[in-house]
Amino acid sequence: MALVPADERTAAAAVTNTARYLTRPAGPALAGFLLPLGPALPFVIAGAAKAAYDLTLWRTFRSVRLPAP
């Protein structure tokens, strides 16, 4: 949030949360489909996706300097 100007933070949070809420219903359906292949598989895929997401954000923004508070 420090990258977004203060007057635009509410809108930025709304866009981010909307994307999360739109994709959230797919999780249980996908997990139910993958469960017969192995009970741990949905957790492994979720962990790998989260790690990839975090590493992508870090790589994208690691050189961006945050404004002083």
Side-chain angles (χ1 to χ4, degrees):
M1 284 301 202
L3 291 175
V4 180
D7 59 332
E8 295 179 9
R9 288 182 185 162
T10 302
V15 170
T16 302
N17 286 329
T18 299
R20 288 180 187 164
Y21 290 129
L22 289 176
T23 58
R24 188 171 285 172
L30 182 60
F33 177 73
L34 294 173
L35 201 56
L37 301 175
L41 189 58
F43 296 104
V44 171
I45 291 173
K50 176 66 171 147
Y53 171 77
D54 289 343
L55 289 171
T56 301
L57 283 178
W58 173 75
R59 185 171 184 213
T60 302
F61 294 107
R62 68 182 173 193
S63 62
V64 176
R65 297 286 175 216
L66 297 177

